[in-house]
């Protein structure tokens, strides 16, 4: 829980180029935000990955600004010390600058986000500038950008060929020059993650981009093993909570069926006199 002085701010993250490394994790609701904040992460990302992870959708293209606002509000109620960054979903920053500012503004004004993140390179710069002009800090996102799934022909590692890698370096530089305070690099060869991190003067936060970035981000449910069990290569699960949850619920079911739950400790009681009266009443006929 934040007492404003402990709050991690955008300028603090911006100053972390060269270390200490930045840790970011997604959270989509109040309890996961509390857990992430108690773990001391620097940034909580209300990612549009909520589409897949929580809503069971196939792609992030199906989630809209209303849902991200709702999830951001839930996260914000945890009053985290971590910086809260909300993802701008697909089509919320593609139509017009006015529309883009309004959508970013909703994430801040209604959701309580302290910054927004959006996917894409140079062609998104005018929209980034418009958001920055409204005093909203922006985190960039290059590489495997899931909102471009159809354009990429699937969720494929990006920047494997020299030309594509050079384009991505130019994109990342343009985002930094436009004023992004940090940049996510997703799904690229480790060498490219390292080169981009050297080329831009803002902290880079990698996911499937090797160890050479200024920070790392993972999806909450992946870190804790709360997902389907099929995780991408770049994930490390530090717990297996889905397995633990199934075990716990099976035990609960067994206890219900055998009558072991609820027990004396989990039941409400009245005085012996009241019990006696109640039993008399029911035994009369
Ligand atoms: O939506 C998300 O979770 C993300 C991270 C993978 C960076 O964008």
């Amino acid at each position: 829980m934040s007492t404003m002085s402990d709050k991690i701010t955008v300028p603090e993250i911006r100053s972390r180029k060269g270390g200490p490394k930045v840790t970011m994790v997604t959270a989509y609701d109040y309890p996961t935000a509390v857990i992430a904040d108690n773990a001391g992460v620097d940034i909580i990302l209300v990612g549009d990955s909520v589409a897949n992870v929580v809503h069971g959708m196939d792609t992030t293209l199906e989630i809209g600004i209303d849902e991200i606002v709702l999830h951001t509000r839930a996260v914000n109620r945890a009053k985290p010390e971590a910086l809260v960054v909300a993802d701008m979903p697909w089509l919320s920053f593609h139509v017009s600058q006015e529309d883009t500012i309004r959508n970013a503004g909703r994430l801040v004004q209604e959701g309580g986000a302290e910054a927004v993140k959006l996917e894409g390179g140079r062609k998104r710069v005018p929209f980034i500038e418009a958001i920055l002009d409204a005093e909203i800090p922006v985190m960039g996102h290059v590489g495997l950008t899931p909102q471009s799934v159809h354009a990429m022909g699937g969720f494929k590692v990006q920047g494997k060929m020299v030309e594509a890698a050079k384009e991505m370096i130019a994109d990342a530089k343009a985002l930094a020059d436009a004023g992004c305070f940090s940049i996510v690099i997703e799904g690229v060869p480790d060498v490219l993650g390292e080169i981009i991190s050297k080329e831009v003067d803002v902290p880079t936060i990698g996911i499937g981009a090797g160890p050479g970035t200024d920070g790392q981000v993972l999806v909450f449910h992946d870190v804790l093993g709360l997902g389907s069990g099929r995780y991408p290569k770049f994930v490390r699960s530090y717990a297996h909570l889905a397995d633990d949850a199934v075990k716990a619920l099976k035990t609960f079911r067994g206890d219900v069926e055998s009558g072991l739950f609820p027990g004396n400790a989990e039941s409400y009681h009245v005085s012996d006199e009241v019990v006696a009266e109640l039993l008399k009443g029911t035994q009369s006929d």
Side-chain angles (χ1 to χ4, degrees):
M1 292 268 171
S2 157
T3 57
M4 205 57 190
S5 59
D6 302 323
K7 183 74 193 169
I8 296 181
T9 62
V10 164
E12 180 179 340
I13 298 297
R14 173 70 187 78
S15 74
R16 298 269 287 270
K17 185 74 191 174
K21 289 220 180 204
V22 176
T23 308
M24 178 160 89
V25 73
T26 64
Y28 313 113
D29 57 23
Y30 177 84
T32 56
V34 169
I35 292 168
D37 204 46
N38 285 342
V41 301
D42 299 302
I43 307 176
I44 292 176
L45 172 68
V46 187
D48 63 352
S49 54
V50 68
N52 318 100
V53 176
V54 171
H55 294 275
M57 296 167 175
D58 289 332
T59 71
T60 54
L61 304 178
E62 296 168 57
I63 201 101
I65 189 75
D66 290 342
E67 288 102 327
I68 303 288
V69 168
L70 185 71
H71 285 289
T72 308
R73 283 172 67 191
V75 163
N76 198 42
R77 285 192 196 105
K79 298 187 175 45
E81 287 178 8
L83 183 74
V84 176
V85 178
D87 237 342
M88 295 201 64
W90 185 59
L91 281 191
S92 71
F93 57 98
H94 305 74
V95 179
S96 69
Q97 295 202 3
E98 195 184 311
D99 195 45
T100 301
I101 296 167
R102 274 193 209 295
N103 286 326
R106 284 192 65 195
L107 294 171
V108 174
Q109 197 165 53
E110 298 173 41
E114 290 141 348
V116 299
K117 174 172 85 57
L118 59 85
E119 296 181 7
R122 278 161 286 179
K123 65 183 169 194
R124 299 293 161 220
V125 164
F127 298 98
I128 290 170
E129 286 173 342
I131 299 170
L132 290 170
D133 221 37
E135 310 300 341
I136 301 170
V138 180
M139 177 181 279
H141 186 161
V142 297
L144 193 175
T145 46
Q147 291 172 13
S148 314
V149 56
H150 298 312
M152 293 183 304
F155 298 104
K156 296 176 177 163
V157 174
Q158 299 294 298
K160 285 167 92 174
M161 307 305 278
V162 174
E163 259 327 296
K166 284 184 176 166
E167 289 292 315
M168 204 185 299
I169 295 167
D171 278 338
K173 280 182 170 173
L175 297 184
D177 290 347
C180 288
F181 71 96
S182 85
I183 300 171
V184 168
I185 309 173
E186 177 168 358
V188 303
D190 51 2
V191 64
L192 184 53
E194 192 176 337
I195 291 172
I196 293 176
S197 302
K198 286 194 175 128
E199 289 286 326
V200 299
D201 62 358
V202 297
T204 56
I205 304 179
I207 176 162
T213 54
D214 302 298
Q216 296 290 331
V217 52
L218 282 177
V219 166
F220 184 95
H221 295 62
D222 293 351
V223 182
L224 295 179
L226 260 174
S228 60
R230 292 188 313 276
Y231 301 111
K233 173 184 169 71
F234 58 78
V235 166
R236 188 180 296 174
S237 295
Y238 289 84
H240 303 283
L241 297 192
D243 294 344
D244 293 346
V246 171
K247 260 187 232 149
L249 289 172
K250 275 187 177 166
T251 308
F252 170 55
R253 178 169 61 84
D255 284 354
V256 170
E257 287 171 4
S258 66
L260 278 174
F261 179 85
N264 202 35
E266 291 114 355
S267 303
Y268 296 107
H269 304 291
V270 290
S271 68
D272 290 349
E273 290 76 28
V274 174
V275 173
E277 278 304 311
L278 285 174
L279 290 179
K280 233 194 276 166
T282 55
Q283 283 160 2
S284 60
D285 43 348

